[in-house]
Amino acid sequence: MYITGIGRTPFGKLPNTLTELAIKAAHVALTDADLEAKEIDCVYVSNFCAGPTQKQLHLNSLIVNALEIVGVPSIRIEAACASGGAALHQALTRLDEKKFILVIGLEKLTNDPQQAISGISMASHRDLDQANGLIFPAAYALIADVYMRKYNLTVDDLTSIAFKNHQNANLNHNAHFYNKTVTRDMITNSAIVASPLRLYDCSPLSDGSCALVLTKQKRNKRDVAVVASALRSGPLSLTQMADLTTFSSAVKAAKDAYAMADLSPKDIDLAAVHDCFTIAEAIAMEDLGFCSKGYAKNMIRKNQTSLKGRLPINTDGGLKADGHPIGATGLAQIFELVTQMRGEAGTRQVNNAKYGLSHNIGGTGGTAAVHILKKEMK
Amino acid sequence: MKQNTIDQESAYTVFAKTEVLVPSIDHPKVPYYVYVLKNEKGETIIWKSDDRYDHQTEVNLQTKKITKKYSVGVIGAGTTGAGIVALLLVQGFKTVLFLRDPKKVAYVQSKIQQLISSSYGIEMSNNLLESLQIVHDYKKMSSLKLIIESISENKNQKLAIYSTLEKYVTNKTIIVSNTSSLSLETLSKRLLYPGRFAGFHFFNPVLKMRLVEIMSSSSTEAKTIRHLQKIAQQLGKTPVVIAKHSEGYIVNRILFSLLSEALQLFQQGKAAVKDIDTAIELGLNHPIGPFKLMDLIGLDVCSDIFQQLHLTKQFKNNQVVLSKLIKKGHLGKKSGRGFYTYAKSTKKIN
């Protein structure tokens, strides 16, 4: 299974409609794959929030109509912030019977931020969490509160994660925070959103779209192989989690993915992890086996996850600074890994990367998708 | 998957907390607070409130009664005492530290601040120190439910402290000693209410080491032990209970038996210090060998503990080796020389 075409829009506060964003990303991906829309024989659409924020549902039909390929089978996948990873996983399972599948993620959040925050809350348990004031920054703040007291992670460590991702985003012209200088002081002094998390610990509300074209047979040397695709579920409510410092769905999905690819965490050369909040990046490093439980701080303090580090993480800026247009996010992680594996990442290029891993989380671990991509030498 | 609902019979405590400052459509009024409350069964619920509470605050959801944050007293501000204070603060307990000498307040505060900030940063350290009250009069500890004594291993001083404390505290106040070597029977013999007394032994560095040994004397009441187990868990530690008096509890009893054997091997000329350390490190996977460990603990401290434990005749023999070094001022890492010699940077050099 290969990714033969990738395309995306910039992420950020954009003037375009949902449909315009999708058409743009799809056309870039189709051009990249040297295909016409009519050659696509199946479409998977990833979106989370268009119902509550745009009053638009039935997106599978919306997209095939916009691309003028009415008649091809299409379906919308929703798994909160893991919608992209889940859609890719589902599409890969159908690749045996299709020649070219388009997976397209899209989201529009910035036209009504209040509605967006309220809509995003729907990814948590209505009765157990939402009704009790648990918007997502608060959920991750509670996770941070427990994690930081248990494992001695400092606010300064969270600053380091945010700072590193903003530096990477400044090398990514598509990023929400491209060309925006963010200093450690700005992060440190930013307003508290939900203690201990500050504004710069949180990923932004972004608009954007990202598309991938999948094919079973390798077509050319720029195609990147998908060697593992794993999807797992986990507790929906914080109250259903046995341990607030780990996402069991991510641990299980990672274990599945490593087994499928016959790899271990040590084989991974770069990773795109779900840093919806800075604390989530630290937890992801541990859930994926990049370090032992409680030791993410050591990797952070030694700069091991920076572009020049032992294991670069979120080379595009991550959700934190590339942006988080929810339905497109999981696919944008794949976009970055493919770009890196093709050697087309420019000033943020990681050298000699053979295996890249993506980690896409829904809510506080209700869904987790992990994919491993391989750069084939021939 | 469990579906936690509020158990009206349960007492909940604040396990995690956040102050939310961004309004949303469903929750427009800010700031508000969201808590993860945990009951004795380990079940959690999310709870929203307009009021701020600290970790470990007890919340009765049936009566809406909020029990103020549990305050704990500490007597002694040496390495372990300061570590215990830092731990209590980090875990959300208001802490009352007894310090005999008012001149040492600034020094002790800075020591505790340093302990917290090295792990949690300066900002958190400054915030937490607001929950520390330093007193110089035992009367000011009269309302506390738990007092942890952590002075040096001096039996008479400890006995005097307990007698004084009993004049001021209620008979429900639990008094514990951080001793690891003195007999609890001896320490509790003059107490009016020995049922409230137990051993509560922390390990250094207190913020990092995850074990607490709880030891019962023959008079300790079961409810005292149960309460201490709960407190240890709230402090993020794993408690183990020693039901009957054991010299050195579990850890020091086994550790000093091992150290004793190491000294014997060396004294009898059967193996060199370095080889014994290497054997234990590689053969038993211990992080450091017995001689390096004795240097780290301090040979004078080791000698004291050997004397207090007096488990076997061999322990007396060990004093010969240790006394020779101690007389020369070779106390281990802290003096620059013990079984090994250390450079000023405290790295072992031979």
Side-chain angles (χ1 to χ4, degrees), chain A residues 285-300:
Chain A
M285 288 155 66
E286 296 167 5
D287 285 351
L288 294 168
F290 297 150
C291 58
S292 305
K293 192 73 210 151
Y295 283 87
K297 60 177 182 287
N298 296 34
M299 286 184 74
I300 296 163

Side-chain angles (χ1 to χ4, degrees), chain B residues 55-71:
Chain B
H55 296 104
Q56 311 304 342
T57 301
E58 290 179 11
V59 180
N60 187 320
L61 294 167
Q62 196 171 17
T63 61
K64 305 290 177 201
K65 185 183 161 198
I66 308 297
T67 308
K68 275 188 184 174
K69 191 164 65 168
Y70 195 108
S71 292

